[in-house]
């Protein structure tokens, strides 16, 4: 199927970002076939379907490098007693009960709703981290089916932890990694692990062996809270990153999520091993765990991406949160203007390339046809020179109108075409109170 996306402002991104007023993008099958002058494109592809993008700006689909689909049903849930007073209590009283209360249909609905949210926000690639100890085996297949139905791309993994049963979840990762193999460009697999403080050396070593043999990376939370660092220092006499490096977890495909409480030596290890760090500013603020040393990590040459940690699926909002947080945290109004967009626009694309083997994040001939088409009438001139100003202060509040992934239109005119949101949300509202009840009894 060939489609001409006409009359929009195209922002190509990539190494040499170009802002092209009134250019036409032609997609053919799953790829971008051409980009250029509207009349020439019409002449070259006369029988292609035409989609009018006037009054809109077209960017490559956004990428989220850390998400938790399974957190969906936490929204609006009350927890009896005093609010959790620290990070470990938040895990014990909320997340480690919620994941145990999820049944088969909850898992499916909990994936479908954020996937719809991804489509609504132009997010076309997600790296997810899943947990559901009571319904573990086969859970990644349920999510895979939902992802395929949604039509976006996702890398999936199951959170291994010694918290419920020793080495729980290893088999599910192993099975799914084998099933996915090298991947088909839509679904990829990683070895999921919770965090250093819930994993023994033996469990980590087993995970690393499986990941190495399959050529996939490990996806693990690292030093999110000071408690993770203290645990590692007390039990293993070394900081978290050192411990994980010693056990072989680091590497170019490995994703170390958060890295809030790390020192300079740990940063060096991350840089030397090419290990990926993913920053989740909203989540860190919500859990009051601290501020990732983002600017230092970038300065040291660490590849840092941007995720939501399950807080949502809107990547522009997350980007702006990173921008504001690091200005405030550094007491410096000169920083983060280029760095926050860099995480989202360049670094997330580089991370996705390592996981999917695809050149995402750039509108250019031959690249995957993943597009976010956003309502935007620039109130001031817009060019390559001032694009970031429009991104941070304008596009962040603009509405996505049309979302395209693998050349397929998933949403058009703000209507999600691939899933029945009303029915899925209604069913989720029906099941969530039952899940909350099971959770209270745990
Ligand atoms: Zn997380």
């Amino acid at each position: 199927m060939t489609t001409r996306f006409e009359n929009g402002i195209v922002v190509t991104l990539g190494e040499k970002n170009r802002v092209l007023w009134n250019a036409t993008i032609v997609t053919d099958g799953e790829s971008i076939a051409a980009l250029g002058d509207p009349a020439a494109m019409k002449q070259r592809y006369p029988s292609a379907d035409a989609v009018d993008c006037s009054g809109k700006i077209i960017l490559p689909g956004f990428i989220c490098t850390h998400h938790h689909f399974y957190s969906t049903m936490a929204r609006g849930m009350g927890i009896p007693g005093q609010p959790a007073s620290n990070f470990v209590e938040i895990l014990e009283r909320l997340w480690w009960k919620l994941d145990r209360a999820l049944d088969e249909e909850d898992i499916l609905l909990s994936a479908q709703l954020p996937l719809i949210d991804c489509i609504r926000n132009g997010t076309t690639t997600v790296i997810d981290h899943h947990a559901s100890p009571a319904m573990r085996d086969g859970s990644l297949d349920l999510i895979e089916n939902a992802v395929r139905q949604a039509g976006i791309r996702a890398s999936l993994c199951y959170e291994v932890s010694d918290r419920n049963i020793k080495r729980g979840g290893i088999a599910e990762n192993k099975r799914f990694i084998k099933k996915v193999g090298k991947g088909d460009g839509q679904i990829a697999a990683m070895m999921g692990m919770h965090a250093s403080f819930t994993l023994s050396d033996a469990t980590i070593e087993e995970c690393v062996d499986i990941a190495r043999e399959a050529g996939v990376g490990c996806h693990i939370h690292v030093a999110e809270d000071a408690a993770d660092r203290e645990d590692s220092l007390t039990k293993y006499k070394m900081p978290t990153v050192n411990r994980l490096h010693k056990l072989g977890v680091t590497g170019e495909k490995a994703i170390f999520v958060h890295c809030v409480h790390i020192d300079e030596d740990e940063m060096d290890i991350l840089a030397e091993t090419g290990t990926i760090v993913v920053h989740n500013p909203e989540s860190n603020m919500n859990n009051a765990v601290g501020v990732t040393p983002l600017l230092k990590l970038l300065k040291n040459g660490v590849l840092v991406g941007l995720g939501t940690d399950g807080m949502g699926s809107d990547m522009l909002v997350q980007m702006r949160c990173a921008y504001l947080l690091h200005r405030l945290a550094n007491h410096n109004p000169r920083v983060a203007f280029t760095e926050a967009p860099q995480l989202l626009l360049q670094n997330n694309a580089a991370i996705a390339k390592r996981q999917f083997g695809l050149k995402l994040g750039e509108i250019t001939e031959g690249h995957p046809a993943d597009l976010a088409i956003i309502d935007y009438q620039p109130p001031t001139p817009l060019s390559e020179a001032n694009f970031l100003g429009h991104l941070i202060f304008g596009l962040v509040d603009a509405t996505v109108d049309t979302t395209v992934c693998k050349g397929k239109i998933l949403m058009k005119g703000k209507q999600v075409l691939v899933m029945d949101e009303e029915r899925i949300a209604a069913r989720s509202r029906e099941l969530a109170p039952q899940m909350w009840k099971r959770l209270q009894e745990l």
Side-chain angles (χ1 to χ4, degrees):
M1 181 170 165
T2 315
T3 310
R4 292 194 317 264
F5 295 90
E6 303 177 319
N7 310 320
I9 306 168
V10 177
V11 181
T12 65
L13 300 182
E15 239 166 72
K16 195 173 179 297
N17 182 30
R18 288 179 296 158
V19 175
L20 307 167
W21 284 71
N22 196 22
T24 293
I25 300 167
V26 181
T27 64
D28 184 16
E30 297 185 8
S31 306
I32 294 166
L35 168 68
D37 174 69
M41 291 298 114
K42 199 168 179 179
Q43 205 176 25
R44 213 167 123 194
Y45 299 93
S47 57
D49 285 352
V51 174
D52 179 28
C53 301
S54 47
K56 296 175 178 58
I57 192 164
I58 309 175
L59 274 86
F62 299 111
I63 299 164
C64 173
T65 47
H66 183 68
H67 205 317
H68 294 286
F69 289 156
Y70 78 88
S71 64
T72 302
M73 286 183 178
R75 193 178 302 173
M77 184 179 73
I79 304 173
Q82 290 292 313
S85 65
N86 60 51
F87 176 69
V88 175
E89 270 187 36
I90 293 170
L91 292 180
E92 286 169 351
R93 296 183 51 188
L94 173 59
W95 300 113
W96 290 353
K97 285 189 173 179
L98 182 138
D99 62 10
R100 279 167 65 202
L102 294 173
D103 69 14
E104 190 170 336
E105 195 176 356
D106 298 334
I107 296 167
L108 179 66
L109 295 163
S110 293
Q112 286 173 321
L113 290 166
L115 282 161
I116 291 168
D117 223 26
C118 284
I119 294 170
R120 287 210 172 279
N121 289 294
T123 302
T124 50
T125 300
V126 174
I127 299 179
D128 189 66
H129 201 273
H130 174 70
S132 55
M135 174 37 216
R136 191 182 53 222
D137 299 339
S139 60
L140 295 179
D141 293 345
L142 294 171
I143 302 170
E144 177 193 351
N145 292 342
V147 171
R148 291 197 187 277
Q149 186 191 9
I152 71 163
R153 306 177 197 272
S155 169
L156 306 178
C157 69
Y158 187 90
E159 174 186 291
V160 171
S161 164
D162 291 319
R163 146 171 74 96
N164 294 305
I165 45 167
K166 271 201 171 168
R167 302 180 203 184
I170 290 187
E172 177 63 0
N173 277 306
K174 196 175 175 182
R175 182 193 67 77
F176 192 72
I177 289 167
K178 193 173 170 210
K179 176 185 158 185
V180 170
K182 291 207 180 310
D184 58 0
Q186 180 166 20
I187 301 288
M190 295 188 76
M191 170 55 77
M193 294 147 84
H194 175 242
S196 170
F197 71 103
T198 65
L199 291 161
S200 68
D201 283 359
T203 302
I204 294 176
E205 278 163 358
E206 196 175 337
C207 289
V208 168
D209 283 348
I210 294 165
R212 247 189 215 150
E213 200 179 316
V216 303
C218 295
H219 184 179
I220 180 169
H221 299 98
V222 178
E224 177 173 3
D225 186 70
D228 195 19
R229 180 179 176 84
E230 279 155 25
D231 178 87
S232 188
L233 288 170
T234 309
K235 286 191 200 150
Y236 310 102
K237 313 296 172 214
M238 63 184 94
T240 327
V241 173
N242 296 60
R243 176 184 182 225
L244 295 173
H245 178 54
K246 190 172 154 255
L247 294 168
V249 187
T250 46
E252 288 195 347
K253 284 193 173 178
I255 295 181
F256 280 22
V257 185
H258 301 301
C259 290
V260 177
H261 299 274
I262 59 169
D263 59 33
E264 306 261 337
D265 289 344
E266 290 177 281
M267 279 186 221
D268 288 345
I269 294 172
L270 293 169
E272 281 158 19
T273 56
T275 303
I276 297 159
V277 170
V278 174
H279 178 39
N280 304 265
E282 278 191 358
S283 163
N284 294 161
M285 293 163 82
N286 186 48
N287 290 330
V289 290
V291 182
T292 297
L294 173 68
L295 303 178
K296 269 191 185 170
L297 282 163
L298 291 173
K299 212 173 153 201
N300 283 12
V302 178
L303 178 60
V304 186
L306 190 66
T308 62
D309 206 17
M311 293 284 291
S313 304
D314 185 336
M315 293 313 296
L316 288 174
V317 160
Q318 202 65 220
M319 178 275 302
R320 189 160 67 193
C321 181
Y323 163 77
L324 295 172
L325 171 62
H326 293 283
R327 286 208 156 195
L328 179 66
N330 288 282
H331 302 282
N332 186 350
R334 287 179 169 178
V335 299
F337 183 77
T338 56
E339 291 89 344
Q342 181 197 336
L343 300 191
L344 174 62
L345 303 178
Q346 279 110 44
N347 296 6
N348 274 4
I351 294 165
K353 186 159 184 278
R354 292 188 192 176
Q355 309 301 335
F356 293 87
L358 295 172
K359 287 180 179 172
L360 301 173
E362 182 176 351
I363 297 174
T364 192
E365 219 176 287
H367 282 223
D370 296 4
L371 307 171
I373 305 175
I374 306 169
D375 288 341
Y376 191 58
Q377 302 274 8
T380 57
L382 162 64
S383 69
E384 295 84 0
N386 68 356
F387 168 66
L388 294 185
H390 284 271
L391 185 80
I392 293 172
F393 299 106
L395 284 165
V396 67
D397 295 318
T399 307
V400 177
D401 177 84
T402 297
T403 301
V404 179
C405 187
K406 298 176 76 198
K408 186 178 169 188
I409 299 175
L410 309 179
M411 176 173 80
K412 194 177 174 188
K414 301 168 192 72
Q415 294 297 310
V416 175
L417 305 175
V418 285
M419 290 162 108
D420 183 347
E421 184 174 12
E422 206 177 310
R423 184 189 61 77
I424 294 167
R427 183 65 179 149
S428 179
R429 282 194 299 276
E430 211 172 293
L431 291 190
Q434 298 173 31
M435 190 278 282
W436 293 351
K437 194 162 173 284
R438 286 197 300 276
L439 183 152
Q440 302 300 351
E441 286 156 7
L442 287 171

